[in-house]
């Protein structure tokens, strides 16, 4: 964890605190401690279409470190949420640019890991975040079914009602 001081008047007036004793004026400054060591971000499952219009479900993971805390806190409101947003967009871009067969083949070798990591390093560098590795933890072909509407009594839609609504 790396402590830093932020001025209450402006979020971007930050100073990174090193080791030692530090004095500050509590009425005008706040001290916040954020992690900068190696961290893992588990992404939620995304259901996407490949270039050959196959539906796949992917769940990615990103291993990162915060190289420079100042851009991380000055350019974003919640830098960990921003990392997730950028990473999910890169996953969409990579999956949509390849056919399902290409994705399956690149999963067998390290090509996909390198491609995801390289894309993310370029995207997150301006936020002071260094990406060690990005990869798909889960990857499978799927068929997505989403039911819209209000559920029946008790919050559960009976199976026979669901079959009737699908006709």
């Amino acid at each position: 964890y790396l402590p830093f001081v932020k001025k209450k008047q402006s979020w971007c007036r930050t100073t990174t605190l090193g080791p030692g004793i530090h004095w500050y004026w509590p009425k005008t400054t706040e001290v916040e401690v954020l992690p900068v060591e190696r961290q893992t971000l588990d992404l939620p499952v995304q259901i996407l279409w490949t270039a050959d219009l196959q539906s796949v479900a992917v769940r990615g993971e990103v291993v990162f470190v915060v190289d420079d805390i100042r851009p991380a806190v000055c350019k974003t409101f919640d830098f960990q949420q921003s990392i997730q947003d950028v990473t999910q967009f890169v996953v969409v871009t990579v999956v949509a640019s390849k056919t399902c067969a290409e994705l399956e083949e690149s999963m067998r070798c390290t090509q996909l890991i390198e491609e995801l990591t390289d894309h993310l390093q370029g995207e997150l560098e301006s936020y002071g975040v260094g990406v060690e590795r990005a990869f798909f933890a889960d990857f499978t072909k799927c068929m997505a079914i989403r039911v819209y509407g209000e559920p029946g009594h008790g919050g559960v839609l009976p199976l026979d009602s669901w079959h009737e609504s699908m006709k």
Side-chain angles (χ1 to χ4, degrees):
Y1 288 89
L2 183 68
F4 69 94
V5 173
K6 64 180 181 180
K7 303 285 184 186
K8 286 186 179 178
Q9 293 85 11
S10 172
W11 181 252
C12 289
R13 289 184 178 181
T14 61
T15 304
T16 304
L17 301 177
I21 298 173
H22 300 276
W23 298 95
Y24 67 96
W25 186 247
K27 291 191 179 274
T28 61
T29 56
E30 291 179 28
V31 175
E32 187 171 339
V33 179
L34 294 173
V36 294
E37 293 88 12
R38 182 183 188 273
Q39 301 173 61
T40 302
L41 176 65
D42 298 324
L43 299 173
V45 174
Q46 292 175 268
I47 299 175
L48 306 170
W49 289 49
T50 61
D52 57 348
L53 300 179
Q54 295 288 320
S55 181
V56 294
V58 296
R59 183 178 63 85
E61 293 205 15
V62 182
V63 179
F64 67 95
V65 294
V66 179
D67 295 326
D68 187 3
I69 195 72
R70 290 183 63 128
V73 297
C74 289
K75 290 187 175 184
T76 64
F77 179 74
D78 181 355
F79 79 93
Q80 289 183 332
Q81 182 64 46
S82 296
I83 292 170
Q84 181 175 335
D85 296 343
V86 170
T87 303
Q88 286 184 285
F89 177 74
V90 168
V91 167
V92 170
T93 304
V94 169
V95 169
S97 69
K98 298 186 179 309
T99 65
C100 194
E102 290 172 339
L103 284 169
E104 289 171 352
E105 180 60 34
S106 60
M107 288 285 289
R108 292 186 186 97
C109 60
T110 60
Q111 178 185 358
L112 192 60
I113 293 171
E114 292 170 4
E115 184 175 351
L116 280 170
T117 303
D118 289 343
H119 275 81
L120 274 175
Q121 282 174 342
E123 292 286 332
L124 293 174
E125 185 178 29
S126 66
Y127 296 108
V129 175
V131 178
E132 289 184 7
R133 186 180 315 119
F135 58 94
F136 289 148
D138 294 320
F139 175 84
T140 187
K141 292 181 184 178
C142 70
M143 178 176 69
I145 299 173
R146 182 168 292 196
V147 179
Y148 291 100
E150 294 294 321
H153 181 69
V156 177
L157 185 64
L159 190 56
D160 57 343
S161 298
W162 182 77
H163 285 295
E164 290 296 321
S165 67
M166 293 301 289
K167 291 181 181 179

